C-alpha cells in the first residue's frame, strides 16, 4: 500500500524552525517524511537531519522519500523519548532544531490491519511500534472498569465514558473482545440512539482514547520535552504540532515552565531557587491551520503549533 499522508501546518512549522543550512535538525515523528523533506531541502552539505519514528512502515516510507538527500539524513527506528540516547549513539550532543508532529499518520489509519480505524473490522491492535507487547486487545480485555472509564473520559473526552466502560466489561465476561468490529458493536450499544445520530462516528472518541493509552502518548510527550529543550543550541527551536487538548496543554505548560522555572514565592525580592530560564516561548497563542488547509485536509482540524526558542545564558 502506498504511504499517503498530507503534512499538517507544514509551511508554518518549517518557517518557525528558522533553519540554518549547516545545522543539525531532528524530526521525532518522521512519518512519511513530509516535514523532514522540507527541512532537508533547506540544508547544505554541512547540515544534517536525524529522523526518528517507532513505526517500521513509516521508516520504510521515509527512507525512500528522503533518499535523494543521501548522507545528510540518518533514520532511526526508536521512540522520540529516547532522542537524547539515540543522538548520543551518533555522537551528537546538541542540535539546532527539533520538530514533533504528534499522533498517527493517515497511512497508519488507512492500513486496516493495524486496528487504528473504526471504519474497518480488524484485530484490536493500535500499536505504533509493533515490537511493543501492550495492544488495544489487552487494554480492552484486561483493564478494570474504572481504568477504562477514566481513559475513555479523559483521553477521548467522551460523554458516555462510564456507560461504555460498563458495557465493555459486561461484554467481555461472555467472550474476549478480539476485533474493532466487536468493540464498535459494544460502544454503539452504550450510547443512546439520539446521541448516536449526531457528532460523527460513535466509536471515534473511544478509539482515540484507547490509542493514546496503548502508545502512552501523553506520558511520553510530558517526559520528553525537557530533554529536547536541553538538547537545543543557543537560538535553536522546538516546534510541536498537537491534535488533542491534553497534548496541547502539556506542551504549553512545559514551554511556560522552561521560560520561567523559578519556584520562589512571589514575595521574595530575589530568586533563591536557582532555576534558570531556558529560553522563550515564541507562540503566546498557538498557530492554527489556515482556512485553506482546513478545507483541504480534515486531519488538520484540531491541530495547533507551539514554538520555543532556546537561549543559553
Ligand atoms: C502525524 S505522523 C507524522 C507525519 C510527518 N510529519 C509527515 O509529514 O509525513 C506521526 C508519526 O509519528 C510517529 N510517532 C508518534 N509518536 C511517536 C513516538 N513517541 N516516537 C516515535 N515515533 C512516534 C508515528 O508512528 C507516525 O508515523
Amino acid at each position: 500500500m502506498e504511504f499517503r499522508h498530507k503534512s499538517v501546518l507544514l509551511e508554518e512549522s518549517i518557517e518557525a524552525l528558522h533553519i540554518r543550512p549547516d545545522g543539525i535538525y531532528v524530526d521525532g515523528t518522521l512519518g512519511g517524511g513530509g516535514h523532514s523533506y522540507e527541512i532537508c531541502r533547506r540544508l547544505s552539505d554541512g547540515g544534517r537531519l536525524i529522523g526518528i519514528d517507532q513505526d517500521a512502515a513509516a521508516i520504510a516510507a521515509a527512507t525512500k522519500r528522503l533518499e535523494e538527500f543521501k548522507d545528510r539524513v540518518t533514520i532511526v527506528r526508536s521512540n522520540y523519548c529516547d532522542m537524547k540516547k539515540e543522538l548520543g549513539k551518533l555522537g551528537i550532543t546538541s542540535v539546532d532544531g527539533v520538530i514533533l508532529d504528534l499522533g498517527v499518520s493517515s497511512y497508519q489509519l488507512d492500513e486496516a490491519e493495524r486496528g487504528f480505524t473504526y471504519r474497518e473490522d480488524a484485530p484490536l491492535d493500535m500499536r505504533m511500534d509493533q515490537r511493543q507487547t501492550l495492544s488495544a486487545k489487552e487494554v480492552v480485555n484486561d483493564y478494570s472498569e474504572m481504568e477504562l472509564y477514566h481513559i475513555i473520559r479523559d483521553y477521548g473526552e467522551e460523554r458516555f465514558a462510564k456507560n461504555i466502560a460498563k458495557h465493555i466489561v459486561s461484554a467481555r465476561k461472555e467472550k474476549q473482545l478480539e476485533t474493532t468490529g466487536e468493540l464498535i458493536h459494544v460502544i454503539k450499544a452504550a450510547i443512546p440512539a439520539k446521541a448516536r445520530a449526531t457528532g460523527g462516528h460513535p466509536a471515534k472518541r473511544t478509539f482515540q482514547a484507547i490509542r493514546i493509552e496503548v502508545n502512552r502518548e501523553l506520558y511520553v510527550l510530558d517526559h520528553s520535552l525537557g530533554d529536547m529543550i536541553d538538547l537545543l543550541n543557543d537560538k535553536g527551536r522546538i516546534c510541536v504540532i498537537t491534535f488533542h487538548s491534553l497534548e496541547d496543554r502539556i506542551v504549553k505548560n512545559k514551554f511556560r515552565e522552561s521560560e520561567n522555572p523559578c519556584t520562589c514565592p512571589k514575595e521574595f525580592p530575589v530568586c533563591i531557587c536557582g532555576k534558570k530560564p531556558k529560553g522563550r516561548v515564541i507562540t503566546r497563542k498557538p498557530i492554527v491551520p489556515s482556512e485553506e488547509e482546513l478545507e483541504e485536509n480534515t486531519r488538520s482540524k484540531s491541530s495547533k503549533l507551539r514554538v520555543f526558542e532556546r537561549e543559553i545564558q
Side-chain angles (χ1 to χ4, degrees), residues 3 5-8 10 27-36 52-59 65 76-82 99-106 108 114 116 128-129 215-217 220-221 224 241 243 299:
F3 196 107
H5 176 84
K6 200 161 175 33
S7 305
V8 169
L10 182 60
D27 182 345
T29 53
L30 187 60
H35 285 91
S36 280
I52 299 175
D53 204 296
Q54 54 183 338
D55 184 330
I59 293 288
R65 178 100 188 259
V76 182
R77 183 173 180 200
S78 184
N79 194 302
Y80 69 70
C81 68
D82 293 324
I99 185 163
L100 292 182
D101 170 21
L102 299 169
V104 279
S105 63
S106 308
Q108 287 164 326
R114 302 288 297 272
F116 284 110
M128 287 192 211
D129 186 340
N215 298 288
R216 296 161 54 244
E217 292 176 37
V220 164
L221 179 65
S224 308
I241 300 169
F243 292 86
R299 219 184 63 84

Side-chain angles (χ1 to χ4, degrees), residues 267-280:
E267 57 276 18
F268 277 25
V270 288
C271 167
I272 56 154
C273 75
K275 297 193 180 104
K276 297 267 175 283
K278 292 184 175 177
R280 65 189 180 104

Side-chain angles (χ1 to χ4, degrees), residues 25-59:
Y25 293 86
V26 193
D27 182 345
T29 53
L30 187 60
H35 285 91
S36 280
Y37 188 89
E38 290 304 317
I39 297 174
C40 289
R41 271 192 342 116
R42 289 161 174 79
L43 296 178
S44 67
D45 279 343
R48 203 160 166 198
L49 173 104
I50 321 300
I52 299 175
D53 204 296
Q54 54 183 338
D55 184 330
I59 293 288

Side-chain angles (χ1 to χ4, degrees), residues 90-230:
L90 299 169
I92 299 170
T93 50
S94 64
V95 301
D96 299 293
V98 174
I99 185 163
L100 292 182
D101 170 21
L102 299 169
V104 279
S105 63
S106 308
Y107 177 80
Q108 287 164 326
L109 288 172
D110 289 347
E111 236 189 345
E113 67 273 19
R114 302 288 297 272
F116 284 110
T117 177
Y118 43 80
R119 297 189 201 284
E120 311 265 356
D121 193 15
L124 282 171
D125 190 337
M126 302 197 200
R127 289 169 301 164
M128 287 192 211
D129 186 340
Q130 297 99 328
R131 299 168 299 188
Q132 157 184 325
T133 46
L134 180 72
S135 77
K137 192 173 165 199
E138 285 75 40
V139 172
V140 168
N141 290 293
D142 302 344
Y143 278 31
S144 71
E145 183 173 334
M146 192 57 96
E147 283 171 320
L148 285 169
Y149 163 48
H150 285 149
I151 288 166
I152 299 169
R153 183 193 62 185
D154 297 343
Y155 302 167
E157 293 168 299
E158 168 62 68
R159 254 181 331 135
F160 301 105
K162 202 168 196 161
N163 216 26
I164 293 172
K166 198 169 132 201
H167 274 69
I168 291 176
V169 170
S170 123
R172 77 190 190 194
K173 276 192 194 132
E174 306 283 317
K175 177 196 157 298
Q176 273 219 339
L177 296 173
E178 304 273 352
T179 67
T180 51
E182 288 168 7
L183 178 60
I184 292 167
H185 185 73
V186 174
I187 296 168
K188 280 186 176 163
I191 300 180
K194 221 167 141 194
R196 253 189 283 141
T198 56
H201 195 289
K204 186 175 170 195
R205 286 174 294 275
T206 304
F207 267 54
Q208 170 182 290
I210 296 173
R211 189 205 83 207
I212 290 176
E213 172 64 18
V214 168
N215 298 288
R216 296 161 54 244
E217 292 176 37
L218 301 176
Y219 178 89
V220 164
L221 179 65
D222 199 21
H223 290 78
S224 308
L225 287 170
D227 262 3
M228 293 182 194
I229 290 173
D230 289 344

